[in-house]
Amino acid sequence: MVNLEAIRIIVGIIGNVISFFLFTSPFTTFLKIMKQKSVGEFKADPYVATLLNCAMWSFYGMPFVHPDSVLVVTINGCGFVIELIYIAIFLTYSSNAKRRRILIALLVEVIFFAVVVFVTLHFLHTTKARSMIIGILCIVFNIIMYASPLTIMKMVIKTKSVKYMPLTLSLANFCNGIVWLIYALIKFDPYILVPNGLGSISGLVQLILYATYYQTTNWDEENEIQKSEVQLLDV
């Protein structure tokens, strides 16, 4: 007899590993920021948004909101800590104006999250009602976060170049969506199913775009620019 709960746990662990890779993928960007001691043109918005998203999913996975979702809590709790580190680096190396905007955004998120937790625990008295409200909010935040890959995909189509859409990240996004989709289907959870179904489609479209525009990408463009700069310096 197939033990579906054991399969669900294994799939969830695989999902945790892939999601961890996605959370740590900007690591090289932050090494660059620390090396240059400046955030330059990088924006904190995606990390501030992901912080709230992780907080919401961590709350969703709590036993008093949605029982039997410990693996949702582990990866989103981990993601929350990682995003906090990223934001701390941004605050350290940002100008005063940028730092102020980040702190205001964080304050708004803290107030919003506190209100959500208070309303959920004081006015919703069953896990079914709590799961529905928090689950819907999590879906909304996930859909908003999909706006970032859409802008990248638009740029790929416009420039016919996949230089700024790494294959490993696109593949990881696709696998992450598929794994959590399977996790949600084993023990049906529409609130995990919907965003990860959309994530799977988004990842698949990215992979199709990569295959379509790989050959039209000018991979030597940066090298040519560097060579021309060296030639100009020599002159």
Side-chain angles (χ1 to χ4, degrees):
M1 183 178 176
V2 178
N3 189 335
L4 289 178
E5 187 57 33
I7 295 172
R8 183 171 178 262
I9 290 170
I10 293 169
V11 171
I13 291 171
I14 295 169
N16 270 239
V17 173
I18 298 173
S19 296
F20 181 79
F21 167 76
L22 288 171
F23 281 130
T24 56
S25 60
F27 183 70
T28 52
T29 297
F30 285 92
L31 281 179
K32 184 178 179 181
I33 288 172
M34 289 187 289
K35 187 177 180 180
Q36 295 178 343
K37 295 185 177 180
S38 171
V39 297
E41 296 301 315
F42 292 112
K43 294 185 180 297
D45 303 16
Y47 310 103
V48 173
T50 304
L51 183 74
L52 180 59
N53 192 56
C54 287
M56 292 298 296
W57 278 112
S58 295
F59 185 53
Y60 174 83
M62 292 294 173
F64 49 81
V65 176
H66 193 79
D68 302 321
S69 300
V70 65
L71 290 171
V72 174
V73 178
T74 54
I75 188 55
N76 283 287
C78 184
F80 184 85
V81 173
I82 292 170
E83 298 305 319
L84 271 181
I85 294 169
Y86 291 158
I87 292 168
I89 294 171
F90 254 99
L91 288 171
T92 302
Y93 296 108
S94 291
S95 63
N96 288 333
K98 285 184 178 180
R99 192 176 294 123
R100 194 179 304 113
R101 284 196 294 271
I102 295 170
L103 289 172
I104 291 171
L106 289 175
L107 179 61
V108 171
E109 287 190 353
V110 169
I111 293 170
F112 174 81
F113 185 69
V115 170
V116 168
V117 171
F118 178 81
V119 170
T120 302
L121 297 182
H122 286 80
F123 296 102
L124 303 173
H125 303 295
T126 65
T127 54
K128 184 178 179 181
R130 290 172 177 177
S131 295
M132 183 182 72
I133 297 301
I134 303 303
I136 290 171
L137 287 173
C138 287
I139 288 173
V140 170
F141 285 123
N142 266 89
I143 291 172
I144 291 170
M145 289 182 68
Y146 289 142
S148 178
L150 284 175
T151 55
I152 295 171
M153 286 187 272
K154 183 181 176 181
M155 185 177 73
V156 169
I157 295 169
K158 187 178 179 180
T159 61
K160 295 185 178 3
S161 171
V162 295
K163 184 180 290 186
Y164 300 107
M165 189 178 72
L167 176 61
T168 51
L169 202 55
S170 298
L171 186 60
N173 273 313
F174 175 68
C175 292
N176 187 62
I178 289 293
V179 169
W180 286 109
L181 185 67
I182 295 169
Y183 178 88
L185 285 170
I186 293 173
K187 185 177 180 180
F188 189 69
D189 188 334
Y191 309 112
I192 294 179
L193 180 72
V194 172
N196 286 289
L198 292 172
S200 301
I201 294 169
S202 173
L204 180 60
V205 171
Q206 288 178 50
L207 292 175
I208 292 170
L209 287 174
Y210 198 93
T212 303
Y213 294 110
Y214 178 82
Q215 291 188 335
T216 59
T217 301
N218 185 0
W219 298 102
D220 298 322
E221 187 181 26
E222 288 183 4
N223 292 333
E224 288 174 2
I225 291 171
Q226 289 173 356
K227 285 178 182 177
S228 63
E229 287 175 349
V230 171
Q231 287 172 354
L232 285 170
L233 287 171
D234 289 341
V235 172

